[in-house]
């Protein structure tokens, strides 16, 4: 049995080999860049499991291989573009072509972490300047640039779309150009993504074609539930046990049934059924007329069958001409009307750009009024009012501003859409998504003196939106970052671009005890291969300071806990403006939260789990603290359920674990402790008596050879699976009726069946000789316990 188990486990672990390290990056000539498909080592389907180990848990090998054979074109390498490029490269697509002939401006420095003030006078384009740094992110991804002189609509521009899996546009382009690229993408079956960020406002449009196939819509394991009853109705109604939780199905999902008791001839366990959800614990089976059944079915299991989903998208032009109800994905349930407002605002801004040839100058109130007038003209439903005028005015005033946090947020979302386009896994955003952070904007436009940009400062974008006074406050902030992993790297990057802790009185402390591993490189972008085995905090601090030499930062390698309060004590916290956690466990978060409550400091908390993420902003005297609410404790399984009424696979696993711990581990440890006069003192008399009984049994019933172990194992099978079951059925017969008139063996109580030992008995589910295998396993465990040589041969 153990030999078979070992082989099974070995075959389930794919053996990935590390590919030869390459670092391909080049400038593609205009006449060949559109056909480059990176058919070099980067297009191999072998997966570097050390590098992508965490990602494989979420994406799976098939989706990862599809990504590794996909090529993308990115048009626009400002702040948003470089974020998307970074995310796609780290994820491991095959190749990425950069197209951006524009020279950088001081506004780009607010969001592009690979540009510096010196690059403003370099004479090079944004794509050329970012090429080298982006190429270093992943040795398996070929990063190149397309050398077009401008973005004028012509055959050379459209030729770049050919051979690509996905095209992403991150800068405003004329409508005619957008529509032409969108149409070309449809013609060559490439996914089209158009996304822009202005000030604190972001927009995203996706067109993945008429028939985009999603192999797995959510990445979750198939849902399972236990059936309480299937009614004899038309259509049949299925009710699941409420104490097992909601069925978590959606209308249109497919399920299969198993081990249903009753309704023979009606429920076909080999058939798949579509469901129509009618409640959290009920659903109908459309088209299934079970009204002729004599009685309802009781008990059984349902398992969701995950099917590929076909999605139909509309092109950008048609969506602008006529919006459908499902064209918007809501990002903030506190702003139900906001998507349509932002849709009008972005269209008005695009019309202004097409007419004037450039975005409005920072603080231009005249231009803001013109854009508001355009928006009102586009508003056919009368949704724009006074408060909407403030929003559109701020968007117009800061249209040129490129803010790091907005680029990071939208870049993360769009990066995920690129992975969906390349892998076919997870449901893509259908058509439009809008996000904003207008809560941090002033009530009215700031004065020209307050927002006047210098034209050469990294902070011009932030000054254009928030003013010089707010920028000075950011420069003087003193923040403590706990953790320098994936989130920690992103925070340091954002802070460096924003200027947090970059003034004479500002400072950032970052601490992390961990060293860099290869698996970190696929998501912690401040680290490279040469940094493996170095401390995360020191390496991340050095990389962040390279982005902004003005950053005042101190890396530490100390754990934040009660044993380091001599380091992180009163004098340390007294200097802080706030704390940001980038941790990977709840206990550490709770400790930092307690410190922040004690010292009345704001705490920024966040975490990720696969494709899911959460944030919590804690402000003293305004919000609740992190530890104010806790996740409910995991439900424990009652002992009586484990022993007599198991109804889930988890119950049987827990029973087996408890039995193993007691018989093969605890008894042996107690016996050894007794011999060493080191038996722990027990206050409970009954528990103490039971311990000594088990110790006596361990010594008295000691086997002399392996045959004794086999005898013991065979008798154990008889006791557990025959005698005890017969006794249970004697006490509670199969037809037992309770005092309330219901069957005792119903609902979650499944009537057991005594097993008569059969050497050749094979389990229908696992196709294993369960009776024989149990005896072999138990006998060998017993032998191991007494240092007797075992045997697994039949």
């Amino acid at each position: 049995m153990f030999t078979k188990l070992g082989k099974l486990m070995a075959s389930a672990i794919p053996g990935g080999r590390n590919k030869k390290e390459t670092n391909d990056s080049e400038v593609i000539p205009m006449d060949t860049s559109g056909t480059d498909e990176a058919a070099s080592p980067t297009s191999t389907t072998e997966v570097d499991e050390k590098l992508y180990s965490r990602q494989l848990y979420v994406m799976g090998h098939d989706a990862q291989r599809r990504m590794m054979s996909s090529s993308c074109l990115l048009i626009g390498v400002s702040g948003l573009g470089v974020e998307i490029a970074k995310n796609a490269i780290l994820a491991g697509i095959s190749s990425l072509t950069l197209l951006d002939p524009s020279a950088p401006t001081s506004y780009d420095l607010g969001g592009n972490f690979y540009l510096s003030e010196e690059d403003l006078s370099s004479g090079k384009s944004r794509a050329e300047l970012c090429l080298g740094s982006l190429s270093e992110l992943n040795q398996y991804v070929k990063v190149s640039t397309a050398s077009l002189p401008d973005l004028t609509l012509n055959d050379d521009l459209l030729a770049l779309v050919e051979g690509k899996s996905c095209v992403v546009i991150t800068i405003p382009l004329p409508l005619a150009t957008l529509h032409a690229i969108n149409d070309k993408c449809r013609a060559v079956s490439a996914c089209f993504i158009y996304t822009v960020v202005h000030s604190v406002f972001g927009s995203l449009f996706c067109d993945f074609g008429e028939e985009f196939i999603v192999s797995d819509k959510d990445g979750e394991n198939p849902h399972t539930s236990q059936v309480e009853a299937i009614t004899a109705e038309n259509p049949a109604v299925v009710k699941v046990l409420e104490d097992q939780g909601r069925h978590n199905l959606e209308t249109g999902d497919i399920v299969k049934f198993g081990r249903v008791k009753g309704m023979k001839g009606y429920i076909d366990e080999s058939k798949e059924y579509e469901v129509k959800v009618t409640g959290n614990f009920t659903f109908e089976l459309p088209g299934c007329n079970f009204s002729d059944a004599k009685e309802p079915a009781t008990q059984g299991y349902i398992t969701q069958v995950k099917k590929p989903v076909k999605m139909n998208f509309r092109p950008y032009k048609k969506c602008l001409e006529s919006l459908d109800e499902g064209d918007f994905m809501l990002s903030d349930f506190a702003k139900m009307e906001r998507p349509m407002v932002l849709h009008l605002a972005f269209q008005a801004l695009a019309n202004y750009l097409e007419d004037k040839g450039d975005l409005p100058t920072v603080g231009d109130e005249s231009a803001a009024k013109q854009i508001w007038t355009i928006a009102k003209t586009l508003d056919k439903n009368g949704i724009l009012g006074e408060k909407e005028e403030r929003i559109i005015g701020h968007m117009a005033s800061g249209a040129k501003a490129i803010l790091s946090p907005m680029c990071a947020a939208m870049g993360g979302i769009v990066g995920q859409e690129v992975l969906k386009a390349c892998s076919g896994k997870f449901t893509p955003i259908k058509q439009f998504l809008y996000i904003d952070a207008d809560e941090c904007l002033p009530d009215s436009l700031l004065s020209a003196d307050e927002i006047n940009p210098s034209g050469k400062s990294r902070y011009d974008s932030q000054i254009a939106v928030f003013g010089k006074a707010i920028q000075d406050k950011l420069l003087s902030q003193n923040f403590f970052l706990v953790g320098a992993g994936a989130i920690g790297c992103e925070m340091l990057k954002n802070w460096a671009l924003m200027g947090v802790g970059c003034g004479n009185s500002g400072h950032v402390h970052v601490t992390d005890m961990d060293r860099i591993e290869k698996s970190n490189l696929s998501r912690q972008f401040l680290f490279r291969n040469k940094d493996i085995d170095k401390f995360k905090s020191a390496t991340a601090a050095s990389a962040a300071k390279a982005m902004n030499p003005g950053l005042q930062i101190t890396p530490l390698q100390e754990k934040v806990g009660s044993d380091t309060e001599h380091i992180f004590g009163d004098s340390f916290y007294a200097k802080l403006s706030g704390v940001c956690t980038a941790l990977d466990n709840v206990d550490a978060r709770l400790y930092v939260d307690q410190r922040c409550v004690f010292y009345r400091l704001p705490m920024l908390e966040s975490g990720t789990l696969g494709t899911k993420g959460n944030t919590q902003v804690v402000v003293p005297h305004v919000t609740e603290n992190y530890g104010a609410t806790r996740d409910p404790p995991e439900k424990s399984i009652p002992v009586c359920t484990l022993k007599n009424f198991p109804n889930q696979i988890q119950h049987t696993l827990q029973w087996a674990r408890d039995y193993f711990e007691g018989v093969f581990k605890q008894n042996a440890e107690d016996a050894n402790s007794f011999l060493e006069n080191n038996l722990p003192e027990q206050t409970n008399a009954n528990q103490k008596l039971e311990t000594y009984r088990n110790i006596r049994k361990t010594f008295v019933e000691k086997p002399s050879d392996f045959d004794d172990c086999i005898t013991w194992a065979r008798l154990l099978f008889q006791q557990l699976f025959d005698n005890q079951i017969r006794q249970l059925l004697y006490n509670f017969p199969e037809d037992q009726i309770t005092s309330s008139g219901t069957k005792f063996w119903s609902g979650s109580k499944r009537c057991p069946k005594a097993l008569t030992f059969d050497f050749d008995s094979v389990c229908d589910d696992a196709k294993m000789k369960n009776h024989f295998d149990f005896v072999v396993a138990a006998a060998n465990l017993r032998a191991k316990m007494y240092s007797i040589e075992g045997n697994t041969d039949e």
Side-chain angles (χ1 to χ4, degrees), residues 265-298:
Y266 289 88
I267 291 292
D268 184 351
E269 296 187 359
S270 65
K271 182 180 176 182
E272 297 176 350
Y273 295 86
E274 184 178 341
V275 308
K276 178 183 178 182
V277 174
T278 56
N280 292 328
F281 305 98
T282 58
F283 59 84
E284 294 179 350
L285 301 178
C288 294
N289 183 0
F290 294 172
S291 57
D292 293 336
K294 294 182 180 179
E295 60 180 14
T298 59

mmCIF file of all heavy atoms in Angstrom, residues 265-298:
data_model
loop_
_atom_site.group_PDB
_atom_site.id
_atom_site.type_symbol
_atom_site.label_atom_id
_atom_site.label_comp_id
_atom_site.label_asym_id
_atom_site.label_seq_id
_atom_site.Cartn_x
_atom_site.Cartn_y
_atom_site.Cartn_z
ATOM 1 N N GLY A 265 -34.480 5.448 -11.167
ATOM 2 C CA GLY A 265 -35.050 5.607 -12.492
ATOM 3 C C GLY A 265 -35.295 7.053 -12.870
ATOM 4 O O GLY A 265 -35.590 7.347 -14.033
ATOM 5 N N TYR A 266 -35.185 7.947 -11.900
ATOM 6 C CA TYR A 266 -35.376 9.373 -12.173
ATOM 7 C C TYR A 266 -34.042 10.121 -12.179
ATOM 8 O O TYR A 266 -33.767 10.906 -13.079
ATOM 9 C CB TYR A 266 -36.329 10.000 -11.150
ATOM 10 C CG TYR A 266 -37.764 9.555 -11.317
ATOM 11 C CD1 TYR A 266 -38.232 8.404 -10.695
ATOM 12 C CD2 TYR A 266 -38.639 10.288 -12.107
ATOM 13 C CE1 TYR A 266 -39.550 7.997 -10.853
ATOM 14 C CE2 TYR A 266 -39.957 9.893 -12.282
ATOM 15 C CZ TYR A 266 -40.412 8.739 -11.646
ATOM 16 O OH TYR A 266 -41.707 8.336 -11.808
ATOM 17 N N ILE A 267 -33.241 9.877 -11.154
ATOM 18 C CA ILE A 267 -31.929 10.515 -11.077
ATOM 19 C C ILE A 267 -30.888 9.595 -11.705
ATOM 20 O O ILE A 267 -30.661 8.478 -11.231
ATOM 21 C CB ILE A 267 -31.541 10.828 -9.615
ATOM 22 C CG1 ILE A 267 -32.440 11.929 -9.061
ATOM 23 C CG2 ILE A 267 -30.079 11.261 -9.530
ATOM 24 C CD1 ILE A 267 -32.237 13.292 -9.696
ATOM 25 N N ASP A 268 -30.287 10.056 -12.776
ATOM 26 C CA ASP A 268 -29.230 9.303 -13.453
ATOM 27 C C ASP A 268 -27.886 9.882 -13.020
ATOM 28 O O ASP A 268 -27.533 11.007 -13.369
ATOM 29 C CB ASP A 268 -29.401 9.434 -14.966
ATOM 30 C CG ASP A 268 -28.394 8.586 -15.742
ATOM 31 O OD1 ASP A 268 -27.471 8.041 -15.110
ATOM 32 O OD2 ASP A 268 -28.546 8.492 -16.977
ATOM 33 N N GLU A 269 -27.135 9.109 -12.252
ATOM 34 C CA GLU A 269 -25.886 9.621 -11.686
ATOM 35 C C GLU A 269 -24.789 9.794 -12.727
ATOM 36 O O GLU A 269 -23.747 10.383 -12.432
ATOM 37 C CB GLU A 269 -25.414 8.703 -10.548
ATOM 38 C CG GLU A 269 -26.386 8.686 -9.375
ATOM 39 C CD GLU A 269 -25.860 7.914 -8.177
ATOM 40 O OE1 GLU A 269 -24.742 7.367 -8.269
ATOM 41 O OE2 GLU A 269 -26.571 7.870 -7.153
ATOM 42 N N SER A 270 -24.998 9.297 -13.929
ATOM 43 C CA SER A 270 -24.025 9.510 -15.006
ATOM 44 C C SER A 270 -24.369 10.733 -15.850
ATOM 45 O O SER A 270 -23.610 11.130 -16.720
ATOM 46 C CB SER A 270 -23.962 8.269 -15.905
ATOM 47 O OG SER A 270 -25.204 8.071 -16.571
ATOM 48 N N LYS A 271 -25.525 11.320 -15.566
ATOM 49 C CA LYS A 271 -26.011 12.453 -16.357
ATOM 50 C C LYS A 271 -25.666 13.778 -15.691
ATOM 51 O O LYS A 271 -25.548 13.859 -14.473
ATOM 52 C CB LYS A 271 -27.535 12.335 -16.533
ATOM 53 C CG LYS A 271 -28.174 13.424 -17.385
ATOM 54 C CD LYS A 271 -29.682 13.210 -17.479
ATOM 55 C CE LYS A 271 -30.364 14.338 -18.233
ATOM 56 N NZ LYS A 271 -31.833 14.154 -18.295
ATOM 57 N N GLU A 272 -25.521 14.825 -16.495
ATOM 58 C CA GLU A 272 -25.279 16.172 -15.988
ATOM 59 C C GLU A 272 -26.567 16.973 -16.050
ATOM 60 O O GLU A 272 -27.320 16.873 -17.024
ATOM 61 C CB GLU A 272 -24.182 16.871 -16.803
ATOM 62 C CG GLU A 272 -22.829 16.170 -16.697
ATOM 63 C CD GLU A 272 -21.774 16.822 -17.584
ATOM 64 O OE1 GLU A 272 -22.150 17.694 -18.409
ATOM 65 O OE2 GLU A 272 -20.594 16.462 -17.458
ATOM 66 N N TYR A 273 -26.825 17.782 -15.011
ATOM 67 C CA TYR A 273 -28.063 18.540 -14.909
ATOM 68 C C TYR A 273 -27.762 20.038 -14.788
ATOM 69 O O TYR A 273 -26.880 20.435 -14.026
ATOM 70 C CB TYR A 273 -28.877 18.095 -13.686
ATOM 71 C CG TYR A 273 -29.369 16.673 -13.741
ATOM 72 C CD1 TYR A 273 -28.565 15.616 -13.309
ATOM 73 C CD2 TYR A 273 -30.640 16.365 -14.218
ATOM 74 C CE1 TYR A 273 -29.003 14.304 -13.353
ATOM 75 C CE2 TYR A 273 -31.098 15.053 -14.262
ATOM 76 C CZ TYR A 273 -30.273 14.029 -13.829
ATOM 77 O OH TYR A 273 -30.719 12.724 -13.879
ATOM 78 N N GLU A 274 -28.522 20.830 -15.510
ATOM 79 C CA GLU A 274 -28.422 22.283 -15.370
ATOM 80 C C GLU A 274 -29.307 22.718 -14.212
ATOM 81 O O GLU A 274 -30.374 22.138 -13.986
ATOM 82 C CB GLU A 274 -28.859 22.974 -16.652
ATOM 83 C CG GLU A 274 -28.699 24.493 -16.612
ATOM 84 C CD GLU A 274 -29.084 25.152 -17.921
ATOM 85 O OE1 GLU A 274 -29.123 24.444 -18.949
ATOM 86 O OE2 GLU A 274 -29.354 26.368 -17.910
ATOM 87 N N VAL A 275 -28.872 23.751 -13.477
ATOM 88 C CA VAL A 275 -29.622 24.180 -12.303
ATOM 89 C C VAL A 275 -30.165 25.588 -12.506
ATOM 90 O O VAL A 275 -29.602 26.397 -13.251
ATOM 91 C CB VAL A 275 -28.749 24.135 -11.026
ATOM 92 C CG1 VAL A 275 -28.089 22.785 -10.861
ATOM 93 C CG2 VAL A 275 -27.705 25.245 -11.028
ATOM 94 N N LYS A 276 -31.269 25.842 -11.818
ATOM 95 C CA LYS A 276 -31.830 27.187 -11.726
ATOM 96 C C LYS A 276 -31.954 27.509 -10.249
ATOM 97 O O LYS A 276 -32.756 26.904 -9.529
ATOM 98 C CB LYS A 276 -33.208 27.261 -12.398
ATOM 99 C CG LYS A 276 -33.867 28.633 -12.281
ATOM 100 C CD LYS A 276 -35.251 28.645 -12.902
ATOM 101 C CE LYS A 276 -35.920 30.018 -12.729
ATOM 102 N NZ LYS A 276 -37.286 30.027 -13.300
ATOM 103 N N VAL A 277 -31.151 28.428 -9.763
ATOM 104 C CA VAL A 277 -31.069 28.712 -8.331
ATOM 105 C C VAL A 277 -32.335 29.420 -7.866
ATOM 106 O O VAL A 277 -32.773 30.405 -8.470
ATOM 107 C CB VAL A 277 -29.823 29.553 -8.008
ATOM 108 C CG1 VAL A 277 -29.822 29.978 -6.547
ATOM 109 C CG2 VAL A 277 -28.561 28.778 -8.338
ATOM 110 N N THR A 278 -32.927 28.911 -6.783
ATOM 111 C CA THR A 278 -34.125 29.530 -6.194
ATOM 112 C C THR A 278 -33.880 29.997 -4.767
ATOM 113 O O THR A 278 -34.748 30.617 -4.166
ATOM 114 C CB THR A 278 -35.299 28.537 -6.202
ATOM 115 O OG1 THR A 278 -34.901 27.331 -5.515
ATOM 116 C CG2 THR A 278 -35.701 28.189 -7.628
ATOM 117 N N GLY A 279 -32.717 29.697 -4.203
ATOM 118 C CA GLY A 279 -32.394 30.120 -2.850
ATOM 119 C C GLY A 279 -30.993 29.676 -2.489
ATOM 120 O O GLY A 279 -30.303 29.001 -3.268
ATOM 121 N N ASN A 280 -30.553 30.068 -1.303
ATOM 122 C CA ASN A 280 -29.201 29.711 -0.873
ATOM 123 C C ASN A 280 -29.034 28.212 -0.670
ATOM 124 O O ASN A 280 -27.912 27.684 -0.743
ATOM 125 C CB ASN A 280 -28.859 30.431 0.435
ATOM 126 C CG ASN A 280 -28.725 31.926 0.241
ATOM 127 O OD1 ASN A 280 -28.314 32.393 -0.820
ATOM 128 N ND2 ASN A 280 -29.084 32.701 1.266
ATOM 129 N N PHE A 281 -30.143 27.513 -0.425
ATOM 130 C CA PHE A 281 -30.064 26.077 -0.146
ATOM 131 C C PHE A 281 -30.947 25.255 -1.085
ATOM 132 O O PHE A 281 -31.100 24.056 -0.886
ATOM 133 C CB PHE A 281 -30.471 25.802 1.314
ATOM 134 C CG PHE A 281 -29.690 26.593 2.316
ATOM 135 C CD1 PHE A 281 -30.191 27.770 2.857
ATOM 136 C CD2 PHE A 281 -28.425 26.186 2.702
ATOM 137 C CE1 PHE A 281 -29.466 28.511 3.772
ATOM 138 C CE2 PHE A 281 -27.686 26.918 3.616
ATOM 139 C CZ PHE A 281 -28.203 28.079 4.149
ATOM 140 N N THR A 282 -31.527 25.886 -2.095
ATOM 141 C CA THR A 282 -32.415 25.171 -3.009
ATOM 142 C C THR A 282 -32.134 25.565 -4.453
ATOM 143 O O THR A 282 -31.661 26.671 -4.734
ATOM 144 C CB THR A 282 -33.893 25.477 -2.701
ATOM 145 O OG1 THR A 282 -34.108 26.897 -2.807
ATOM 146 C CG2 THR A 282 -34.283 25.003 -1.317
ATOM 147 N N PHE A 283 -32.439 24.664 -5.356
ATOM 148 C CA PHE A 283 -32.392 24.966 -6.774
ATOM 149 C C PHE A 283 -33.280 23.979 -7.521
ATOM 150 O O PHE A 283 -33.566 22.882 -7.044
ATOM 151 C CB PHE A 283 -30.960 24.931 -7.330
ATOM 152 C CG PHE A 283 -30.245 23.609 -7.162
ATOM 153 C CD1 PHE A 283 -30.415 22.570 -8.078
ATOM 154 C CD2 PHE A 283 -29.382 23.408 -6.095
ATOM 155 C CE1 PHE A 283 -29.755 21.369 -7.934
ATOM 156 C CE2 PHE A 283 -28.716 22.206 -5.942
ATOM 157 C CZ PHE A 283 -28.895 21.175 -6.868
ATOM 158 N N GLU A 284 -33.740 24.402 -8.696
ATOM 159 C CA GLU A 284 -34.575 23.558 -9.538
ATOM 160 C C GLU A 284 -33.729 22.875 -10.605
ATOM 161 O O GLU A 284 -32.627 23.324 -10.932
ATOM 162 C CB GLU A 284 -35.666 24.400 -10.215
ATOM 163 C CG GLU A 284 -36.684 24.997 -9.261
ATOM 164 C CD GLU A 284 -37.725 25.845 -9.986
ATOM 165 O OE1 GLU A 284 -37.525 26.104 -11.203
ATOM 166 O OE2 GLU A 284 -38.715 26.244 -9.356
ATOM 167 N N LEU A 285 -34.299 21.791 -11.155
ATOM 168 C CA LEU A 285 -33.700 21.096 -12.279
ATOM 169 C C LEU A 285 -34.625 21.294 -13.483
ATOM 170 O O LEU A 285 -35.574 20.534 -13.680
ATOM 171 C CB LEU A 285 -33.537 19.597 -11.977
ATOM 172 C CG LEU A 285 -32.688 19.235 -10.762
ATOM 173 C CD1 LEU A 285 -32.665 17.732 -10.555
ATOM 174 C CD2 LEU A 285 -31.261 19.771 -10.915
ATOM 175 N N PRO A 286 -34.420 22.357 -14.274
ATOM 176 C CA PRO A 286 -35.310 22.643 -15.409
ATOM 177 C C PRO A 286 -35.397 21.456 -16.362
ATOM 178 O O PRO A 286 -34.399 20.811 -16.685
ATOM 179 C CB PRO A 286 -34.638 23.848 -16.083
ATOM 180 C CG PRO A 286 -33.807 24.479 -15.010
ATOM 181 C CD PRO A 286 -33.334 23.351 -14.155
ATOM 182 N N GLY A 287 -36.620 21.165 -16.776
ATOM 183 C CA GLY A 287 -36.823 20.066 -17.716
ATOM 184 C C GLY A 287 -36.922 18.706 -17.089
ATOM 185 O O GLY A 287 -37.090 17.705 -17.798
ATOM 186 N N CYS A 288 -36.836 18.628 -15.771
ATOM 187 C CA CYS A 288 -36.903 17.342 -15.077
ATOM 188 C C CYS A 288 -38.263 17.228 -14.375
ATOM 189 O O CYS A 288 -38.487 17.875 -13.339
ATOM 190 C CB CYS A 288 -35.765 17.203 -14.066
ATOM 191 S SG CYS A 288 -34.136 17.124 -14.823
ATOM 192 N N ASN A 289 -39.127 16.431 -14.936
ATOM 193 C CA ASN A 289 -40.458 16.212 -14.364
ATOM 194 C C ASN A 289 -40.444 14.932 -13.534
ATOM 195 O O ASN A 289 -40.482 13.824 -14.072
ATOM 196 C CB ASN A 289 -41.494 16.114 -15.484
ATOM 197 C CG ASN A 289 -42.906 15.963 -14.936
ATOM 198 O OD1 ASN A 289 -43.112 15.932 -13.724
ATOM 199 N ND2 ASN A 289 -43.877 15.870 -15.826
ATOM 200 N N PHE A 290 -40.335 15.094 -12.220
ATOM 201 C CA PHE A 290 -40.300 13.948 -11.308
ATOM 202 C C PHE A 290 -41.619 13.796 -10.559
ATOM 203 O O PHE A 290 -41.690 13.157 -9.519
ATOM 204 C CB PHE A 290 -39.165 14.107 -10.287
ATOM 205 C CG PHE A 290 -37.778 14.066 -10.889
ATOM 206 C CD1 PHE A 290 -36.660 14.371 -10.111
ATOM 207 C CD2 PHE A 290 -37.583 13.735 -12.219
ATOM 208 C CE1 PHE A 290 -35.390 14.326 -10.668
ATOM 209 C CE2 PHE A 290 -36.317 13.695 -12.780
ATOM 210 C CZ PHE A 290 -35.212 13.998 -12.004
ATOM 211 N N SER A 291 -42.684 14.410 -11.079
ATOM 212 C CA SER A 291 -43.959 14.396 -10.361
ATOM 213 C C SER A 291 -44.554 12.998 -10.237
ATOM 214 O O SER A 291 -45.404 12.761 -9.380
ATOM 215 C CB SER A 291 -44.961 15.333 -11.051
ATOM 216 O OG SER A 291 -45.143 14.953 -12.411
ATOM 217 N N ASP A 292 -44.135 12.053 -11.087
ATOM 218 C CA ASP A 292 -44.672 10.692 -11.020
ATOM 219 C C ASP A 292 -43.947 9.828 -9.994
ATOM 220 O O ASP A 292 -44.351 8.684 -9.761
ATOM 221 C CB ASP A 292 -44.575 10.021 -12.393
ATOM 222 C CG ASP A 292 -45.492 10.684 -13.421
ATOM 223 O OD1 ASP A 292 -46.481 11.309 -12.992
ATOM 224 O OD2 ASP A 292 -45.197 10.583 -14.625
ATOM 225 N N ALA A 293 -42.860 10.358 -9.410
ATOM 226 C CA ALA A 293 -42.117 9.569 -8.418
ATOM 227 C C ALA A 293 -42.982 9.332 -7.190
ATOM 228 O O ALA A 293 -43.751 10.201 -6.764
ATOM 229 C CB ALA A 293 -40.831 10.291 -8.037
ATOM 230 N N LYS A 294 -42.898 8.135 -6.605
ATOM 231 C CA LYS A 294 -43.737 7.764 -5.466
ATOM 232 C C LYS A 294 -43.364 8.535 -4.212
ATOM 233 O O LYS A 294 -44.217 8.845 -3.379
ATOM 234 C CB LYS A 294 -43.632 6.261 -5.214
ATOM 235 C CG LYS A 294 -44.221 5.425 -6.342
ATOM 236 C CD LYS A 294 -44.133 3.934 -6.026
ATOM 237 C CE LYS A 294 -44.728 3.108 -7.171
ATOM 238 N NZ LYS A 294 -44.644 1.644 -6.894
ATOM 239 N N GLU A 295 -42.099 8.803 -4.048
ATOM 240 C CA GLU A 295 -41.652 9.548 -2.861
ATOM 241 C C GLU A 295 -40.384 10.310 -3.204
ATOM 242 O O GLU A 295 -39.684 9.963 -4.164
ATOM 243 C CB GLU A 295 -41.396 8.598 -1.690
ATOM 244 C CG GLU A 295 -40.339 7.548 -1.953
ATOM 245 C CD GLU A 295 -40.134 6.632 -0.758
ATOM 246 O OE1 GLU A 295 -40.963 6.623 0.166
ATOM 247 O OE2 GLU A 295 -39.106 5.934 -0.758
ATOM 248 N N PRO A 296 -40.081 11.377 -2.459
ATOM 249 C CA PRO A 296 -38.877 12.161 -2.751
ATOM 250 C C PRO A 296 -37.605 11.379 -2.432
ATOM 251 O O PRO A 296 -37.626 10.434 -1.639
ATOM 252 C CB PRO A 296 -39.025 13.386 -1.839
ATOM 253 C CG PRO A 296 -39.892 12.928 -0.717
ATOM 254 C CD PRO A 296 -40.843 11.936 -1.322
ATOM 255 N N ALA A 297 -36.538 11.784 -3.069
ATOM 256 C CA ALA A 297 -35.241 11.190 -2.751
ATOM 257 C C ALA A 297 -34.693 11.831 -1.490
ATOM 258 O O ALA A 297 -34.933 13.011 -1.220
ATOM 259 C CB ALA A 297 -34.274 11.399 -3.907
ATOM 260 N N THR A 298 -33.992 11.064 -0.715
ATOM 261 C CA THR A 298 -33.349 11.578 0.497
ATOM 262 C C THR A 298 -31.888 11.195 0.464
ATOM 263 O O THR A 298 -31.536 10.098 0.043
ATOM 264 C CB THR A 298 -33.995 10.996 1.766
ATOM 265 O OG1 THR A 298 -33.888 9.568 1.725
ATOM 266 C CG2 THR A 298 -35.461 11.381 1.864
#
